[in-house]
């Protein structure tokens, strides 16, 4: 697994199973966005105090299902961990995701599932263990927000692996826009199969 921790100068972070179900969520999300019109492009702050991008994955919180659905659409699955009041989470939304080129690349190539570091929603992990968000975060050693986890293009073999070995890359803490886009490219282009994120940055300018 590669990590964005090998960046030269990182910012200091803060400490369906069936198509019918998936289709229903997509229909509901699409209707909500249509109703919001032009404002749909702007992130909204939810009752949980987190910014929510209108294009984030609407999920039943089954990670196997989410990864398989992403793969069926030719995309990769990423999890974004956030926390109420986190200034770097806010920066990610209002600066990084506000960049049309960055947001467009991520939307075209990834499904992003947003989870709360101290949340209580139940999530079904790849090994079928059901945990509250906060307990899942502990299981995967998530300590900073924002943190992005990136997973393989297939669920094959994931259940048998230790939790920390299931990722192909992790970005703990805030990344400036150029490096932020680069970590998504690193995963999408399979850079982790050839070397570290630092190697990828050096090779791609």
């Amino acid at each position: 697994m590669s990590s964005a921790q090998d960046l030269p100068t990182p910012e200091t972070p803060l400490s369906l199973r069936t198509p019918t179900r998936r289709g229903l969520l997509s229909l509901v999300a699409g209707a909500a966005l249509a109703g919001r019109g032009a404002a749909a492009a702007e992130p909204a702050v939810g009752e949980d105090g987190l910014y929510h991008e209108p294009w984030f994955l609407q999920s039943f919180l089954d990670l196997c299902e989410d990864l398989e659905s992403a793969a069926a659409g030719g995309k990769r699955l990423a999890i974004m961990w956030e926390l109420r009041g986190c200034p770097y989470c806010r920066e990610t939304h209002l600066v990084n995701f506000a960049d049309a080129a960055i947001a467009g690349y991520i939307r075209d190539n990834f499904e992003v599932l947003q989870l709360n570091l101290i949340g209580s929603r139940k999530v079904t992990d790849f090994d079928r263990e059901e945990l509250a968000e906060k307990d899942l975060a502990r299981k995967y050693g998530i300590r900073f927000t924002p943190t992005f986890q990136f997973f393989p293009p297939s669920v094959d073999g994931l259940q048998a692996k230790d939790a920390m070995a299931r990722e192909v890359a992790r970005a703990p803490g805030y990344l400036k826009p150029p490096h932020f886009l680069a970590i998504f490219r690193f995963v999408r282009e399979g850079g982790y199969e050839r070397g570290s994120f630092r190697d990828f940055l050096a090779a791609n300018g």
Side-chain angles (χ1 to χ4, degrees):
M1 179 189 76
S2 179
S3 169
Q5 286 175 316
D6 58 9
L7 279 172
T9 53
E11 293 284 339
T12 302
L14 294 178
S15 280
L16 298 163
R17 198 164 281 276
T18 68
T20 301
R21 295 175 70 210
R22 178 68 61 186
L24 178 60
L25 267 184
S26 298
L27 182 62
V28 171
L33 291 181
R36 288 167 64 181
E42 298 295 328
V45 179
E47 293 182 359
D48 55 6
L50 306 183
Y51 284 88
H52 297 276
E53 299 293 335
W55 47 270
F56 274 177
L57 178 63
Q58 301 298 311
S59 171
F60 285 103
L61 303 182
D62 182 318
L63 298 188
C64 279
E65 182 178 283
D66 289 339
L67 194 153
E68 289 173 339
S69 178
K75 299 182 179 183
R76 300 292 292 267
L77 176 66
I79 294 178
M80 180 182 185
W81 290 92
E82 300 193 54
L83 184 66
R84 178 194 292 265
C86 164
Y88 289 115
C89 299
R90 181 178 184 275
E91 191 87 351
T92 299
H93 285 279
L94 300 187
V95 176
N96 297 18
F97 287 142
D99 184 308
I102 292 175
Y105 182 86
I106 296 173
R107 291 172 65 179
D108 288 345
N109 294 283
F110 289 84
E111 293 287 7
V112 179
L113 174 63
Q114 183 182 45
L115 296 180
N116 188 335
L117 188 68
I118 59 172
S120 58
R121 294 183 302 166
K122 294 295 185 181
V123 183
T124 303
D125 198 1
F126 295 109
D127 57 12
R128 314 316 298 159
E129 183 179 18
E130 187 178 71
L131 296 167
E133 291 166 283
K134 59 187 176 183
D135 296 321
L136 186 70
R138 189 176 303 113
K139 177 178 179 178
Y140 279 92
I142 307 296
R143 298 182 179 88
F144 309 121
T145 57
T147 288
F148 283 84
Q149 291 180 281
F150 299 92
F151 295 94
S154 169
V155 298
D156 294 346
L158 283 187
Q159 181 174 352
K161 292 184 177 180
D162 291 336
M164 300 293 286
R166 292 172 186 157
E167 304 166 11
V168 297
R170 175 181 293 200
Y174 177 72
L175 296 177
K176 294 284 190 178
H179 286 157
F180 185 71
L181 176 58
I183 190 70
F184 282 89
R185 288 185 52 222
F186 174 70
V187 173
R188 182 60 180 174
E189 298 171 20
Y192 56 87
E193 297 176 344
R194 301 184 293 275
S196 69
F197 184 42
R198 183 183 293 272
D199 294 335
F200 182 82
L201 289 175
N204 292 273

XYZ file of all heavy atoms in Angstrom, residues 68-100:
253
model
N -18.200 -3.105 -5.884
C -18.677 -3.813 -7.076
C -19.468 -2.885 -7.985
O -19.356 -2.948 -9.220
C -19.534 -5.012 -6.655
C -18.726 -6.133 -6.028
C -19.599 -7.230 -5.460
O -20.803 -6.968 -5.191
O -19.087 -8.353 -5.269
N -20.272 -2.014 -7.395
C -21.051 -1.062 -8.184
C -20.134 -0.073 -8.894
O -20.332 0.260 -10.060
C -22.036 -0.311 -7.283
O -22.762 0.642 -8.015
N -19.107 0.406 -8.180
C -18.144 1.317 -8.791
C -17.451 0.635 -9.962
O -17.307 1.213 -11.050
C -17.120 1.773 -7.757
N -17.001 -0.604 -9.753
C -16.308 -1.347 -10.808
C -17.195 -1.569 -12.025
O -16.742 -1.479 -13.168
C -15.808 -2.686 -10.261
N -18.481 -1.835 -11.779
C -19.418 -2.048 -12.882
C -19.550 -0.799 -13.733
O -19.843 -0.876 -14.935
C -20.783 -2.468 -12.343
N -19.321 0.373 -13.118
C -19.381 1.632 -13.854
C -18.028 2.095 -14.352
O -17.893 3.237 -14.798
N -17.021 1.210 -14.254
C -15.688 1.567 -14.712
C -14.959 2.535 -13.800
O -14.062 3.249 -14.240
N -15.334 2.544 -12.500
C -14.745 3.489 -11.555
C -14.067 2.751 -10.413
O -14.180 1.539 -10.270
C -15.817 4.445 -11.008
C -16.487 5.292 -12.081
C -17.501 6.250 -11.467
C -18.161 7.113 -12.525
N -19.103 8.101 -11.933
N -13.357 3.512 -9.581
C -12.715 2.988 -8.378
C -13.440 3.533 -7.157
O -14.069 4.597 -7.212
C -11.239 3.411 -8.341
C -10.413 2.923 -9.515
C -10.223 1.422 -9.497
N -9.390 0.996 -8.388
C -8.071 0.824 -8.477
N -7.442 1.063 -9.624
N -7.375 0.405 -7.427
N -13.310 2.824 -6.043
C -13.947 3.254 -4.798
C -12.934 3.951 -3.896
O -11.830 3.443 -3.669
C -14.533 2.057 -4.049
C -15.150 2.364 -2.670
C -16.385 3.256 -2.820
C -15.505 1.070 -1.930
N -13.321 5.115 -3.392
C -12.524 5.837 -2.401
C -13.426 6.184 -1.225
O -14.608 6.486 -1.412
C -11.935 7.114 -2.997
N -12.877 6.126 -0.034
C -13.601 6.561 1.169
C -12.956 7.840 1.673
O -11.732 7.913 1.827
C -13.571 5.494 2.267
C -14.347 4.246 1.831
C -14.167 6.050 3.572
C -14.320 3.117 2.853
N -13.775 8.857 1.926
C -13.306 10.102 2.522
C -13.806 10.173 3.960
O -15.008 10.194 4.212
C -13.810 11.319 1.742
C -13.341 12.644 2.321
S -13.999 14.083 1.422
C -13.112 15.417 2.276
N -12.867 10.202 4.897
C -13.202 10.324 6.317
C -13.145 11.789 6.724
O -12.160 12.471 6.438
C -12.226 9.520 7.163
C -12.377 8.039 7.021
C -11.705 7.223 6.147
C -13.247 7.197 7.782
N -12.108 5.926 6.318
C -13.055 5.878 7.306
C -14.164 7.429 8.802
C -13.750 4.791 7.842
C -14.858 6.349 9.325
C -14.651 5.043 8.855
N -14.198 12.244 7.399
C -14.279 13.645 7.815
C -14.728 13.759 9.273
O -15.097 12.765 9.905
C -15.236 14.415 6.917
C -14.824 14.420 5.450
C -15.604 15.427 4.648
O -15.626 16.610 5.044
O -16.192 15.034 3.628
N -14.694 14.988 9.773
C -15.068 15.271 11.152
C -15.643 16.678 11.224
O -15.111 17.601 10.602
C -13.837 15.159 12.050
C -14.020 15.325 13.557
C -14.856 14.182 14.128
C -12.654 15.365 14.248
N -16.710 16.831 11.965
C -17.314 18.155 12.157
C -16.268 19.138 12.690
O -15.507 18.829 13.610
C -18.464 18.056 13.161
C -19.134 19.397 13.469
C -20.020 19.288 14.712
N -21.183 18.456 14.485
C -22.393 18.909 14.135
N -22.578 20.213 13.970
N -23.390 18.073 13.957
N -16.224 20.326 12.093
C -15.325 21.358 12.551
C -13.898 21.253 12.038
O -13.058 22.081 12.388
N -13.616 20.264 11.212
C -12.267 20.068 10.677
C -11.982 21.111 9.591
O -12.619 21.086 8.538
C -12.132 18.659 10.108
S -10.727 18.408 9.020
N -11.050 22.042 9.808
C -10.793 23.086 8.811
C -10.192 22.553 7.521
O -10.424 23.106 6.453
C -9.821 24.033 9.526
C -9.170 23.198 10.567
C -10.204 22.212 11.019
N -9.436 21.451 7.607
C -8.848 20.896 6.386
C -9.886 20.138 5.555
O -9.753 20.038 4.336
C -7.655 20.010 6.729
C -6.463 20.800 7.215
C -5.991 20.646 8.521
C -5.829 21.711 6.389
C -4.907 21.378 8.976
C -4.752 22.450 6.841
C -4.290 22.284 8.130
O -3.218 23.020 8.570
N -10.919 19.607 6.212
C -12.033 19.019 5.470
C -12.751 20.128 4.691
O -13.080 19.970 3.509
C -13.015 18.335 6.418
S -12.305 16.970 7.367
N -12.973 21.235 5.384
C -13.617 22.386 4.731
C -12.785 22.860 3.541
O -13.331 23.144 2.469
C -13.789 23.517 5.756
C -14.467 24.765 5.220
C -14.627 25.802 6.333
N -15.362 26.973 5.876
C -14.804 28.003 5.251
N -13.491 28.001 5.031
N -15.536 29.022 4.851
N -11.479 22.912 3.725
C -10.590 23.337 2.647
C -10.677 22.385 1.450
O -10.672 22.810 0.296
C -9.145 23.379 3.170
C -8.168 24.043 2.239
C -8.102 25.554 2.430
O -8.950 26.098 3.172
O -7.218 26.172 1.834
N -10.774 21.109 1.740
C -10.888 20.125 0.663
C -12.133 20.385 -0.167
O -12.100 20.320 -1.409
C -10.920 18.702 1.240
O -9.701 18.448 1.950
C -11.071 17.666 0.131
N -13.235 20.691 0.503
C -14.481 20.946 -0.225
C -14.464 22.292 -0.946
O -14.839 22.374 -2.122
C -15.661 20.902 0.749
C -16.029 19.522 1.177
N -16.796 18.680 0.405
C -15.719 18.838 2.307
C -16.964 17.525 1.036
N -16.315 17.598 2.193
N -14.057 23.338 -0.250
C -14.200 24.690 -0.790
C -13.058 25.113 -1.703
O -13.175 26.112 -2.424
C -14.350 25.690 0.357
C -15.551 25.457 1.279
C -15.688 26.604 2.272
C -16.840 25.286 0.484
N -11.960 24.367 -1.692
C -10.840 24.670 -2.581
C -10.627 23.540 -3.591
O -10.770 23.732 -4.797
C -9.539 24.929 -1.783
C -8.357 25.147 -2.733
C -9.712 26.144 -0.876
N -10.330 22.348 -3.099
C -10.000 21.245 -4.006
C -11.191 20.819 -4.864
O -11.095 20.755 -6.097
C -9.476 20.054 -3.209
C -8.195 20.353 -2.479
O -7.829 21.508 -2.278
N -7.482 19.325 -2.055
N -12.300 20.497 -4.221
C -13.466 20.056 -4.977
C -14.104 21.199 -5.764
O -14.870 20.957 -6.699
C -14.511 19.440 -4.045
C -14.143 18.071 -3.525
C -14.444 17.707 -2.221
C -13.504 17.149 -4.327
C -14.121 16.454 -1.728
C -13.168 15.880 -3.852
C -13.483 15.535 -2.543
N -13.801 22.439 -5.397
C -14.346 23.583 -6.134
C -13.633 23.775 -7.465
O -14.128 24.504 -8.331
C -14.231 24.854 -5.294
N -12.485 23.144 -7.630
C -11.759 23.194 -8.899
C -12.457 22.252 -9.881
O -12.511 21.042 -9.661
C -10.307 22.760 -8.671
C -9.452 22.883 -9.913
O -9.847 22.355 -10.972
O -8.370 23.495 -9.824
N -12.991 22.799 -10.959
C -13.796 22.007 -11.897
C -13.012 20.848 -12.501
O -13.558 19.755 -12.709
C -14.345 22.907 -12.998
